[in-house]
Amino acid sequence: MKTGEVLKWIDHTDSMKRYGKVTRVVGLMIEATGPETSIGDVCFVYTKGKMSKPIKAEVVGFEKESVLLMPYSELKHIGPGCLVESTHQSLLVKAGKSLIGKVLNGLGEPLDASEIPTGIPAVPTDQEPPNPMHRAPIRERISIGVKAIDGLLTVGKGQRIGIFAGSGVGKSTLLGMIARNSDADINVIALIGERGREVREFIENDLGEEGLKKSIVVVATSDQPALQRIKGAYTATAISEYFRNQGLTVNLMMDSVTRVAMAQREVGLASGEPPTTKGYTPSVFATLPKLLERTGANDKGSITAFYTVLVDGDDMNEPIADAVRGTLDGHFVLDRSIAEQGRYPAINILKSISRVMNHISSKEHLQAADYIRNMLAIYEENKELIQIGAYKKGTSREVDEAISYNPNINQFLKQGVHECVTGDEAIEKLMALANRSET
């Protein structure tokens, strides 16, 4: 650094450290006066316990002269007069290849109490989405390793997909299959609002040792404060962005974006926002598109994102499902009735769509996929008549054909949890099935 630059830096350095003081704690919110700070800055609240560490909190609002802070951890040992220090920057997390295979909390810290290697760059969790003019068009297919998806709902590099399902229909199992079988360079998996018991089960059973070798898992369980659950989603997205900027093909899997919205609702209500649709605050519907738009492709690499959406009572039109579906580039619907028949993954092909499939698939592939979809649709329309025996064979050639090949189509859509089928193999099987049906 040159002498002139050093002198300029000294002139602009504040020799005094300014602290604020806690004046009130109401529910999840800490009110303080004094610290010079702005929205999104991280602050340290120095607690009164002798052995306790400072609590990290984030500025989420202001009320007259008071600063409203939301803590990342539990509100312990905080009392009137506790000192508040602003860092004047948003939350930073480490990102690098040495994190692969690790399980982190919502703030990017290892959950196994290990140390993050030194020298890893820090990236801000809150970043702007890429400039629309810098987004590369999606023109290349990515192999997911699930026949039903690669064959009938083909996904492109940089596409963003919503996986819509009620509880217990197989969302986590499907994510584990994608993580193990996909040909992406790295997986970043965010488990937001999960039960603590399910985290280790997902890592050991669904993801497995093979999947963990090329994955970074970010966990913010349901017992964590709302802000840490939100930051878990932002941390996973920021780590994905780092690897995308290195030119890698990244899979980001978030389970679930609904619980991120619920956490944002908690923060909004605590900071005084009015509830609107189904109790969700306006900030929820403003925050979701900003988070979802950060993924996708840029001029260096790509983030192919899979966001699971919990639908209450299998209602696909509830507010969060509607908002997410309108933002993403396609959706897979997991159907409870299909799962009850023992067909996994329980994807309802007729209700699912990939909006970029027409741009990344060959003409022959699209023709085969359209034919199989048509067979499924015809069978579904006449399902009740067929099941009660009211349909007479020979009444319709198309219905006869749909009945004849429905078992073969269902067999194609069914896949074992640990069965790996590449994208090319899936397309070959689909085209062979379509050609056999047509003859």
Side-chain angles (χ1 to χ4, degrees), residues 4 10 33 35 47 61-62 77 83 94 98 100 111 118-119 136 155 222 236 242 263 266 278 297 387 399 402 424 427:
I10 292 172
T33 56
T47 57
F62 300 96
H77 307 296
L83 295 180
K94 298 287 188 178
S98 55
I100 297 174
L111 275 178
T118 56
V155 175
S222 57
Y242 169 82
E266 286 182 45
K278 270 202 172 181
Q387 288 181 339
V399 177
D424 291 336
I427 293 169

Side-chain angles (χ1 to χ4, degrees), residues 192-380:
I192 310 299
E194 290 285 339
R195 291 180 283 270
R197 173 187 62 80
E198 292 180 331
V199 172
R200 191 162 175 180
E201 284 184 5
F202 174 82
I203 293 170
E204 293 182 358
N205 300 335
D206 296 326
L207 186 59
E209 188 178 343
E210 181 186 348
L212 190 59
K213 283 180 182 177
K214 65 170 189 174
S215 302
I216 298 170
V217 184
V218 179
V219 175
T221 50
S222 57
D223 60 298
Q224 296 297 325
L227 198 58
Q228 186 165 157
R229 279 177 270 145
I230 296 170
K231 286 302 170 184
Y234 280 72
T235 295
T237 305
I239 292 172
S240 300
E241 289 169 326
Y242 169 82
F243 287 111
R244 176 179 64 187
N245 292 336
Q246 303 299 308
L248 299 179
T249 301
V250 185
N251 275 350
L252 170 63
M253 286 167 270
M254 191 176 294
D255 185 14
S256 71
V257 74
T258 306
R259 293 195 179 110
V260 177
M262 289 176 175
Q264 182 64 44
R265 176 174 61 184
E266 286 182 45
V267 173
L269 291 172
S271 57
E273 281 190 80
T276 53
T277 312
K278 270 202 172 181
Y280 288 102
T281 55
S283 64
V284 173
F285 301 102
T287 300
L288 279 179
K290 289 181 181 178
L291 176 64
L292 303 179
E293 285 289 350
R294 286 171 60 179
T295 55
N298 66 5
D299 52 359
K300 297 174 183 175
S302 67
I303 301 174
T304 307
F306 299 88
Y307 299 99
T308 69
V309 182
L310 286 169
V311 285
D312 295 333
D314 297 329
D315 176 16
M316 298 297 167
N317 297 313
E318 62 98 26
I320 299 303
D322 226 23
V324 171
R325 187 167 51 239
T327 305
L328 300 179
D329 309 316
H331 53 271
F332 302 159
V333 176
L334 301 189
D335 197 316
R336 192 175 300 279
S337 63
I338 294 175
E340 287 169 353
Q341 295 169 18
R343 195 188 91 195
Y344 288 97
I347 301 172
N348 188 321
I349 300 297
L350 299 177
K351 291 183 179 179
S352 305
I353 190 169
S354 169
R355 290 180 181 151
V356 304
M357 183 175 176
N358 289 340
H359 305 300
I360 58 176
S361 301
S362 67
K363 185 180 177 180
E364 295 77 13
H365 177 194
L366 290 173
Q367 287 175 343
D370 287 344
Y371 182 81
I372 297 301
R373 272 181 172 272
N374 187 43
M375 288 291 101
L376 282 169
I378 292 170
Y379 186 87
E380 194 64 29

Side-chain angles (χ1 to χ4, degrees), residues 177-196:
M177 290 174 70
I178 295 171
R180 291 193 310 273
N181 301 341
S182 169
D183 61 3
D185 299 316
I186 185 171
N187 302 309
V188 180
I189 303 169
L191 303 178
I192 310 299
E194 290 285 339
R195 291 180 283 270

